[in-house]
Amino acid sequence: MTRWLAETIAQHPTHALLAALATALLSFLIIPAAILCAAIIATITLTYNTRTAAMLLLMTGVVIAVSAPFMPSRPGLEIPVALLLLAPTALCAKVLDLSRSLALTITLATLLAWLGALAIQLISGDATAWWQVWLEQALAGVPDASMDGFRAEGILPIFNGLVATLFGLAVSAAVLLGRWLQTLAAKPGRFAGEFQQLRLTRMLPVVMSLILAVSYLFTESLFGQFLLIFLLPFYFQGLAVLHATVGEHPRKAVLLMPPYLLLIFIPQFVYTGMALAGLSDLFFNFRKIMPPPPAS
């Protein structure tokens, strides 16, 4: 199915547009489909020339915007999620197309997420209060839902960073999925090697540490928000280490399943742990010192 989708997108711009529109409309009913729509836009950006890709992006955005008033709405999501992801994903995919660097692409997605969180803080003056109002409006239409859980677990002070992190994660995932689809149509198996070699620059944690130090001078909540966002690129490097360690092991799927399942049930621990592994890899280079796993 995925191979057919990849080949369909690569065959003709019209096929690519239809695939993007179908997943965009589906995202009104199933929100995660917005990531698939963005991934198709990433594949289009990586496959076609800039003019064609820009035209397909614009047409997809227009259809989503025009369709929105006639589709089921969700409290707090007046702007369709797919529409929010399209332009950032296309920008990151274009950077990947020009640089051929997954590390640079994910760093850019993290930068966009951080700028979004920073903009909300600067415009609102108090991101925590701003998101509290948003949550109250969003939960108003949900039966038996309340703010008590958010307050009890201390999520509100870092909610701005949490939303930005989810945004950066969605954009990064869409670009990675788009690159996988592109290679699946032309050179199956190539993406695995590219992802396993993902390695960030050592200057990145230095720059992030400076930003965190400055943010701490203002408020601890701002520090917590930015720290959550800045773990994102190291999370992907940690995943790259994991995939490289498993390699072509005969039971590769079984070995990779637990981390992804645990990400669903205890995301905070898996996200932090994988990010710390990725950060450590910057200095210890685990993929170099570990022996290759047995091949099937």
Side-chain angles (χ1 to χ4, degrees):
M1 178 66 179
T2 51
R3 179 71 180 272
W4 172 82
L5 176 62
E7 292 176 346
T8 298
I9 296 171
Q11 284 173 359
H12 197 275
T14 303
H15 299 161
L17 177 62
L18 291 175
L21 293 179
T23 51
L25 295 178
L26 180 62
S27 70
F28 284 102
L29 302 175
I30 307 173
I31 292 180
I35 297 178
L36 181 55
C37 175
I40 292 174
I41 291 297
T43 307
I44 289 171
T45 305
L46 292 165
T47 303
Y48 299 103
N49 60 53
T50 302
R51 181 177 179 181
T52 301
M55 186 178 300
L56 296 180
L57 172 65
L58 179 61
M59 294 174 70
T60 303
V62 169
V63 170
I64 294 174
V66 171
S67 303
F70 306 97
M71 303 299 284
S73 60
R74 296 173 183 269
L77 293 177
E78 287 74 17
I79 301 177
V81 176
L83 196 60
L84 292 173
L85 295 178
L86 291 189
T89 300
L91 175 60
C92 290
K94 191 61 183 178
V95 169
L96 176 59
D97 183 43
L98 295 174
S99 67
R100 297 299 175 185
S101 171
L102 290 176
L104 179 60
T105 303
I106 290 174
T107 301
L108 175 60
T110 305
L111 174 63
L112 294 176
W114 175 70
L115 289 175
L118 181 62
I120 290 177
Q121 175 65 33
L122 293 176
I123 294 172
S124 67
D126 186 347
T128 301
W130 190 88
W131 281 111
Q132 181 172 341
V133 173
W134 181 88
L135 277 170
E136 289 172 350
Q137 293 175 348
L139 294 176
V142 181
D144 301 324
S146 70
M147 294 288 296
D148 296 339
F150 292 96
R151 294 192 181 98
E153 296 182 16
I155 295 178
L156 277 176
I158 62 168
F159 196 78
N160 189 41
L162 177 61
V163 173
T165 301
L166 291 174
F167 170 79
L169 184 63
V171 171
S172 300
V175 176
L176 291 174
L177 182 56
R179 177 59 176 163
W180 176 64
L181 288 172
Q182 184 204 19
T183 57
L184 190 62
K187 298 180 180 178
R190 179 176 177 178
F191 174 76
E194 291 181 358
F195 182 67
Q196 290 173 17
Q197 295 172 11
L198 191 158
R199 186 173 178 81
L200 303 163
T201 172
R202 289 185 180 181
M203 279 300 298
L204 187 60
V206 175
V207 174
M208 289 179 169
S209 296
L210 292 174
I211 296 175
L212 288 173
V214 173
S215 67
Y216 189 79
L217 297 176
F218 289 91
T219 61
E220 289 186 20
S221 64
L222 194 62
F223 172 85
Q225 295 168 30
F226 290 174
L227 178 60
L228 194 60
I229 300 168
F230 288 163
L231 289 176
L232 184 62
F234 304 109
Y235 166 77
F236 280 103
Q237 179 152 329
L239 274 183
V241 172
L242 176 64
H243 279 260
T245 304
V246 173
E248 297 302 321
H249 194 284
R251 303 185 67 185
K252 176 180 178 179
V254 176
L255 293 173
L256 290 175
M257 190 177 298
Y260 285 99
L261 288 177
L262 289 174
L263 183 63
I264 299 174
F265 297 105
I266 47 173
Q268 65 275 31
F269 298 110
V270 176
Y271 177 71
T272 304
M274 201 68 71
L276 290 176
L279 179 60
S280 300
D281 181 62
L282 273 181
F283 303 96
F284 297 105
N285 199 353
F286 300 132
R287 285 165 286 188
K288 184 178 180 179
I289 62 177
M290 286 182 178
S296 55

mmCIF file of all heavy atoms in Angstrom, residues 211-236:
data_model
loop_
_atom_site.group_PDB
_atom_site.id
_atom_site.type_symbol
_atom_site.label_atom_id
_atom_site.label_comp_id
_atom_site.label_asym_id
_atom_site.label_seq_id
_atom_site.Cartn_x
_atom_site.Cartn_y
_atom_site.Cartn_z
ATOM 1 N N ILE A 211 20.585 29.959 25.306
ATOM 2 C CA ILE A 211 19.197 30.419 25.263
ATOM 3 C C ILE A 211 18.468 30.035 26.548
ATOM 4 O O ILE A 211 17.712 30.833 27.128
ATOM 5 C CB ILE A 211 18.469 29.842 24.035
ATOM 6 C CG1 ILE A 211 19.102 30.368 22.744
ATOM 7 C CG2 ILE A 211 16.979 30.188 24.070
ATOM 8 C CD1 ILE A 211 18.533 29.750 21.488
ATOM 9 N N LEU A 212 18.709 28.819 27.025
ATOM 10 C CA LEU A 212 18.072 28.358 28.261
ATOM 11 C C LEU A 212 18.528 29.182 29.457
ATOM 12 O O LEU A 212 17.730 29.505 30.349
ATOM 13 C CB LEU A 212 18.379 26.878 28.485
ATOM 14 C CG LEU A 212 17.672 25.889 27.550
ATOM 15 C CD1 LEU A 212 18.198 24.477 27.768
ATOM 16 C CD2 LEU A 212 16.168 25.935 27.753
ATOM 17 N N ALA A 213 19.809 29.521 29.481
ATOM 18 C CA ALA A 213 20.332 30.328 30.588
ATOM 19 C C ALA A 213 19.670 31.699 30.624
ATOM 20 O O ALA A 213 19.300 32.205 31.697
ATOM 21 C CB ALA A 213 21.845 30.467 30.451
ATOM 22 N N VAL A 214 19.496 32.302 29.448
ATOM 23 C CA VAL A 214 18.845 33.614 29.379
ATOM 24 C C VAL A 214 17.376 33.502 29.782
ATOM 25 O O VAL A 214 16.851 34.346 30.520
ATOM 26 C CB VAL A 214 18.980 34.204 27.957
ATOM 27 C CG1 VAL A 214 18.147 35.484 27.826
ATOM 28 C CG2 VAL A 214 20.435 34.481 27.619
ATOM 29 N N SER A 215 16.702 32.446 29.304
ATOM 30 C CA SER A 215 15.277 32.275 29.620
ATOM 31 C C SER A 215 15.067 32.065 31.118
ATOM 32 O O SER A 215 14.052 32.499 31.686
ATOM 33 C CB SER A 215 14.687 31.098 28.841
ATOM 34 O OG SER A 215 15.256 29.864 29.270
ATOM 35 N N TYR A 216 16.021 31.409 31.774
ATOM 36 C CA TYR A 216 15.894 31.156 33.221
ATOM 37 C C TYR A 216 15.940 32.451 34.022
ATOM 38 O O TYR A 216 15.375 32.543 35.111
ATOM 39 C CB TYR A 216 17.004 30.207 33.672
ATOM 40 C CG TYR A 216 16.834 29.722 35.094
ATOM 41 C CD1 TYR A 216 15.929 28.705 35.382
ATOM 42 C CD2 TYR A 216 17.564 30.280 36.143
ATOM 43 C CE1 TYR A 216 15.764 28.260 36.687
ATOM 44 C CE2 TYR A 216 17.397 29.842 37.446
ATOM 45 C CZ TYR A 216 16.494 28.834 37.710
ATOM 46 O OH TYR A 216 16.310 28.389 38.997
ATOM 47 N N LEU A 217 16.614 33.457 33.461
ATOM 48 C CA LEU A 217 16.689 34.753 34.137
ATOM 49 C C LEU A 217 15.325 35.437 34.189
ATOM 50 O O LEU A 217 15.091 36.300 35.037
ATOM 51 C CB LEU A 217 17.700 35.663 33.426
ATOM 52 C CG LEU A 217 19.159 35.184 33.429
ATOM 53 C CD1 LEU A 217 20.022 36.140 32.614
ATOM 54 C CD2 LEU A 217 19.676 35.062 34.852
ATOM 55 N N PHE A 218 14.437 35.059 33.273
ATOM 56 C CA PHE A 218 13.098 35.658 33.242
ATOM 57 C C PHE A 218 12.143 34.861 34.139
ATOM 58 O O PHE A 218 11.668 35.380 35.148
ATOM 59 C CB PHE A 218 12.583 35.719 31.809
ATOM 60 C CG PHE A 218 13.299 36.738 30.967
ATOM 61 C CD1 PHE A 218 14.436 36.388 30.223
ATOM 62 C CD2 PHE A 218 12.864 38.052 30.913
ATOM 63 C CE1 PHE A 218 15.102 37.330 29.454
ATOM 64 C CE2 PHE A 218 13.520 39.001 30.154
ATOM 65 C CZ PHE A 218 14.658 38.642 29.425
ATOM 66 N N THR A 219 11.847 33.627 33.761
ATOM 67 C CA THR A 219 10.969 32.788 34.586
ATOM 68 C C THR A 219 11.382 31.327 34.445
ATOM 69 O O THR A 219 11.887 30.915 33.401
ATOM 70 C CB THR A 219 9.480 32.903 34.160
ATOM 71 O OG1 THR A 219 9.353 32.475 32.803
ATOM 72 C CG2 THR A 219 8.970 34.317 34.307
ATOM 73 N N GLU A 220 11.117 30.554 35.474
ATOM 74 C CA GLU A 220 11.409 29.125 35.422
ATOM 75 C C GLU A 220 10.491 28.416 34.425
ATOM 76 O O GLU A 220 10.890 27.443 33.791
ATOM 77 C CB GLU A 220 11.256 28.502 36.812
ATOM 78 C CG GLU A 220 12.332 28.903 37.796
ATOM 79 C CD GLU A 220 12.222 28.141 39.101
ATOM 80 O OE1 GLU A 220 11.578 27.078 39.111
ATOM 81 O OE2 GLU A 220 12.761 28.619 40.110
ATOM 82 N N SER A 221 9.260 28.905 34.298
ATOM 83 C CA SER A 221 8.329 28.261 33.364
ATOM 84 C C SER A 221 8.808 28.420 31.926
ATOM 85 O O SER A 221 8.681 27.492 31.117
ATOM 86 C CB SER A 221 6.921 28.855 33.527
ATOM 87 O OG SER A 221 6.897 30.229 33.172
ATOM 88 N N LEU A 222 9.376 29.574 31.607
ATOM 89 C CA LEU A 222 9.907 29.785 30.257
ATOM 90 C C LEU A 222 11.081 28.842 30.008
ATOM 91 O O LEU A 222 11.214 28.273 28.923
ATOM 92 C CB LEU A 222 10.354 31.239 30.089
ATOM 93 C CG LEU A 222 10.634 31.718 28.652
ATOM 94 C CD1 LEU A 222 9.376 31.642 27.814
ATOM 95 C CD2 LEU A 222 11.170 33.143 28.672
ATOM 96 N N PHE A 223 11.906 28.658 31.013
ATOM 97 C CA PHE A 223 13.023 27.711 30.922
ATOM 98 C C PHE A 223 12.493 26.299 30.647
ATOM 99 O O PHE A 223 13.019 25.582 29.790
ATOM 100 C CB PHE A 223 13.827 27.738 32.222
ATOM 101 C CG PHE A 223 14.884 26.682 32.311
ATOM 102 C CD1 PHE A 223 16.146 26.873 31.764
ATOM 103 C CD2 PHE A 223 14.618 25.472 32.959
ATOM 104 C CE1 PHE A 223 17.122 25.902 31.855
ATOM 105 C CE2 PHE A 223 15.585 24.493 33.057
ATOM 106 C CZ PHE A 223 16.838 24.706 32.502
ATOM 107 N N GLY A 224 11.452 25.896 31.386
ATOM 108 C CA GLY A 224 10.881 24.567 31.202
ATOM 109 C C GLY A 224 10.278 24.379 29.824
ATOM 110 O O GLY A 224 10.412 23.313 29.203
ATOM 111 N N GLN A 225 9.615 25.429 29.315
ATOM 112 C CA GLN A 225 9.026 25.353 27.978
ATOM 113 C C GLN A 225 10.100 25.153 26.905
ATOM 114 O O GLN A 225 9.980 24.280 26.041
ATOM 115 C CB GLN A 225 8.251 26.649 27.686
ATOM 116 C CG GLN A 225 7.045 26.880 28.558
ATOM 117 C CD GLN A 225 6.503 28.286 28.415
ATOM 118 O OE1 GLN A 225 6.625 28.911 27.359
ATOM 119 N NE2 GLN A 225 5.904 28.809 29.475
ATOM 120 N N PHE A 226 11.154 25.962 26.985
ATOM 121 C CA PHE A 226 12.206 25.893 25.976
ATOM 122 C C PHE A 226 12.994 24.584 26.075
ATOM 123 O O PHE A 226 13.410 24.022 25.059
ATOM 124 C CB PHE A 226 13.150 27.087 26.116
ATOM 125 C CG PHE A 226 12.538 28.406 25.716
ATOM 126 C CD1 PHE A 226 13.227 29.599 25.899
ATOM 127 C CD2 PHE A 226 11.272 28.467 25.162
ATOM 128 C CE1 PHE A 226 12.669 30.816 25.528
ATOM 129 C CE2 PHE A 226 10.693 29.673 24.795
ATOM 130 C CZ PHE A 226 11.399 30.855 24.983
ATOM 131 N N LEU A 227 13.208 24.109 27.297
ATOM 132 C CA LEU A 227 13.937 22.853 27.476
ATOM 133 C C LEU A 227 13.192 21.701 26.809
ATOM 134 O O LEU A 227 13.808 20.845 26.149
ATOM 135 C CB LEU A 227 14.115 22.564 28.969
ATOM 136 C CG LEU A 227 14.822 21.250 29.321
ATOM 137 C CD1 LEU A 227 16.227 21.221 28.740
ATOM 138 C CD2 LEU A 227 14.851 21.035 30.837
ATOM 139 N N LEU A 228 11.877 21.685 26.964
ATOM 140 C CA LEU A 228 11.061 20.643 26.352
ATOM 141 C C LEU A 228 11.206 20.660 24.832
ATOM 142 O O LEU A 228 11.324 19.603 24.189
ATOM 143 C CB LEU A 228 9.594 20.853 26.751
ATOM 144 C CG LEU A 228 8.616 19.715 26.498
ATOM 145 C CD1 LEU A 228 9.033 18.469 27.264
ATOM 146 C CD2 LEU A 228 7.206 20.143 26.904
ATOM 147 N N ILE A 229 11.216 21.845 24.252
ATOM 148 C CA ILE A 229 11.360 21.973 22.798
ATOM 149 C C ILE A 229 12.757 21.553 22.349
ATOM 150 O O ILE A 229 12.920 20.844 21.348
ATOM 151 C CB ILE A 229 11.086 23.428 22.364
ATOM 152 C CG1 ILE A 229 9.673 23.850 22.741
ATOM 153 C CG2 ILE A 229 11.307 23.596 20.858
ATOM 154 C CD1 ILE A 229 9.417 25.340 22.621
ATOM 155 N N PHE A 230 13.776 21.968 23.100
ATOM 156 C CA PHE A 230 15.153 21.729 22.680
ATOM 157 C C PHE A 230 15.582 20.271 22.800
ATOM 158 O O PHE A 230 16.646 19.895 22.294
ATOM 159 C CB PHE A 230 16.095 22.623 23.496
ATOM 160 C CG PHE A 230 16.029 24.075 23.127
ATOM 161 C CD1 PHE A 230 16.540 25.061 23.970
ATOM 162 C CD2 PHE A 230 15.441 24.485 21.932
ATOM 163 C CE1 PHE A 230 16.477 26.404 23.632
ATOM 164 C CE2 PHE A 230 15.361 25.829 21.590
ATOM 165 C CZ PHE A 230 15.887 26.787 22.434
ATOM 166 N N LEU A 231 14.792 19.448 23.476
ATOM 167 C CA LEU A 231 15.088 18.019 23.520
ATOM 168 C C LEU A 231 14.749 17.330 22.199
ATOM 169 O O LEU A 231 15.228 16.215 21.939
ATOM 170 C CB LEU A 231 14.302 17.347 24.658
ATOM 171 C CG LEU A 231 14.732 17.666 26.095
ATOM 172 C CD1 LEU A 231 13.784 16.982 27.078
ATOM 173 C CD2 LEU A 231 16.159 17.232 26.340
ATOM 174 N N LEU A 232 13.936 17.996 21.371
ATOM 175 C CA LEU A 232 13.399 17.371 20.161
ATOM 176 C C LEU A 232 14.463 16.830 19.201
ATOM 177 O O LEU A 232 14.402 15.652 18.811
ATOM 178 C CB LEU A 232 12.477 18.363 19.440
ATOM 179 C CG LEU A 232 11.760 17.834 18.197
ATOM 180 C CD1 LEU A 232 10.848 16.675 18.565
ATOM 181 C CD2 LEU A 232 10.958 18.950 17.534
ATOM 182 N N PRO A 233 15.444 17.622 18.767
ATOM 183 C CA PRO A 233 16.417 17.069 17.817
ATOM 184 C C PRO A 233 17.234 15.930 18.410
ATOM 185 O O PRO A 233 17.588 14.979 17.696
ATOM 186 C CB PRO A 233 17.298 18.275 17.476
ATOM 187 C CG PRO A 233 17.121 19.231 18.606
ATOM 188 C CD PRO A 233 15.727 19.035 19.083
ATOM 189 N N PHE A 234 17.514 15.978 19.712
ATOM 190 C CA PHE A 234 18.281 14.912 20.343
ATOM 191 C C PHE A 234 17.451 13.636 20.464
ATOM 192 O O PHE A 234 17.995 12.528 20.454
ATOM 193 C CB PHE A 234 18.786 15.371 21.710
ATOM 194 C CG PHE A 234 19.588 16.640 21.640
ATOM 195 C CD1 PHE A 234 19.080 17.831 22.130
ATOM 196 C CD2 PHE A 234 20.837 16.655 21.034
ATOM 197 C CE1 PHE A 234 19.808 19.003 22.042
ATOM 198 C CE2 PHE A 234 21.573 17.819 20.946
ATOM 199 C CZ PHE A 234 21.057 19.003 21.444
ATOM 200 N N TYR A 235 16.130 13.814 20.569
ATOM 201 C CA TYR A 235 15.238 12.648 20.561
ATOM 202 C C TYR A 235 15.395 11.884 19.248
ATOM 203 O O TYR A 235 15.509 10.651 19.243
ATOM 204 C CB TYR A 235 13.786 13.095 20.752
ATOM 205 C CG TYR A 235 12.771 12.028 20.433
ATOM 206 C CD1 TYR A 235 12.521 10.995 21.331
ATOM 207 C CD2 TYR A 235 12.071 12.051 19.231
ATOM 208 C CE1 TYR A 235 11.601 9.997 21.030
ATOM 209 C CE2 TYR A 235 11.149 11.069 18.922
ATOM 210 C CZ TYR A 235 10.914 10.041 19.821
ATOM 211 O OH TYR A 235 10.005 9.054 19.524
ATOM 212 N N PHE A 236 15.430 12.612 18.133
ATOM 213 C CA PHE A 236 15.567 11.947 16.839
ATOM 214 C C PHE A 236 16.958 11.337 16.668
ATOM 215 O O PHE A 236 17.096 10.279 16.049
ATOM 216 C CB PHE A 236 15.256 12.921 15.710
ATOM 217 C CG PHE A 236 13.783 13.115 15.483
ATOM 218 C CD1 PHE A 236 13.132 14.258 15.933
ATOM 219 C CD2 PHE A 236 13.030 12.143 14.842
ATOM 220 C CE1 PHE A 236 11.773 14.426 15.743
ATOM 221 C CE2 PHE A 236 11.665 12.294 14.654
ATOM 222 C CZ PHE A 236 11.035 13.444 15.102
#
